[in-house]
Amino acid sequence: MKKIKNLFIKIQDLMVKNKKIISYIICSLLIISFAILTFKLLTNPMNTKVTRKNYENVIERIRKNSSKDDYEKVQAVIAMAELASLDSNEDKLDYIEGKSFNQMIKKIQKNLQEEKKEAEQQKAISAEKQKIRDGYLNFDNYTWEVKTLNYQSNLIITAEIENLKDVDIETFEGIISISDKLDNILGNFKIKNTKIIPKNAKADIDMTFYEDEYYSEIKAISRQSGDLYFSFTPTRLIVKGNEI
């Protein structure tokens, strides 16, 4: 019985020693991995700060040791620096010196993300404003014809406007789009009306579009044998002295 107890004690001691050895090995491997990673980061030419002295060497090291994608990004950064230098008395290295290419690429990517976010916000704001404008006016009962005068073919469009709001519309600008039955846009025609459209009222409007400004559009419309489809998009409205 005593021998069995001693055997268990020896096994426990061995397990404790093995755990210490395994822990030591794991720690050693982690330290080695960290050291290798640090070495790679420090020796990666993409992380090397560029100076006038090492510029060519850094580019060559990136070309030889970095990925094709990284090298193409570096070339893009250099091209941007060259373009920027055209508008100043500085050269491209003035925009690159003191920074690594990874730093510059990250900064450019961050700027692009911010610009994209801002563009999306502006798009959302514009869409909301357009939705508001669309609720003010309705165009209906379009008629059209192409008339030739002094060897010029002009497009004449008439339509009925309806003010959908309980407020006068003092003036408006917009675009009339004309398409064929396959929804192909044949022309976009800018219009401007400075006559007051009284609240909840309807009015007729006559518009003439001249060949010297809309030559290709009028020609495309003249060749149509089927029905044409009209739509109106208001781009500016003045209501109670305020622009919408």
Side-chain angles (χ1 to χ4, degrees), residues 16-125:
V16 171
K17 288 180 181 179
N18 284 339
K19 283 183 179 179
K20 290 181 178 179
I21 293 171
I22 291 170
S23 298
Y24 174 77
I25 292 171
I26 291 172
C27 290
S28 299
L29 289 173
L30 288 173
I31 293 169
I32 292 170
S33 299
F34 179 75
I36 291 172
L37 180 61
T38 303
F39 177 76
K40 285 184 177 180
L41 288 173
L42 291 174
T43 57
N44 183 357
M46 292 291 290
N47 292 324
T48 302
K49 285 191 176 182
V50 178
T51 66
R52 291 181 179 275
K53 187 175 180 179
N54 71 3
Y55 171 73
E56 296 293 343
N57 179 261
V58 171
I59 299 298
E60 184 61 16
R61 284 168 58 207
I62 291 172
R63 186 184 70 79
K64 288 182 177 180
N65 303 312
S66 298
S67 67
K68 181 181 178 182
D69 182 59
D70 279 345
Y71 185 66
E72 289 176 350
K73 288 178 182 177
V74 166
Q75 293 301 310
V77 171
I78 294 170
M80 292 173 67
E82 288 175 341
L83 284 173
S85 68
L86 294 176
D87 296 328
S88 67
N89 295 323
E90 300 174 324
D91 63 25
K92 64 183 180 184
L93 286 176
D94 289 313
Y95 295 89
I96 295 174
E97 192 173 19
K99 300 177 285 289
S100 72
F101 280 105
N102 263 342
Q103 287 175 320
M104 288 181 272
I105 290 168
K106 286 178 181 177
K107 184 178 180 180
I108 292 169
Q109 289 173 335
K110 182 181 178 182
N111 290 341
L112 290 174
Q113 288 173 351
E114 290 175 352
E115 288 174 5
K116 182 181 178 181
K117 184 178 179 181
E118 184 178 348
E120 289 174 348
Q121 290 173 342
Q122 289 299 322
K123 185 178 179 181
I125 292 170

Side-chain angles (χ1 to χ4, degrees), residues 177-188 217 220-221 224 227-231:
S177 297
I178 302 177
S179 58
D180 62 18
K181 58 186 176 183
L182 295 176
D183 207 27
N184 297 309
I185 298 295
L186 303 174
N188 293 312
E217 292 90 341
I221 291 168
Q224 296 300 309
D227 292 334
L228 296 181
Y229 299 87
F230 295 77
S231 64

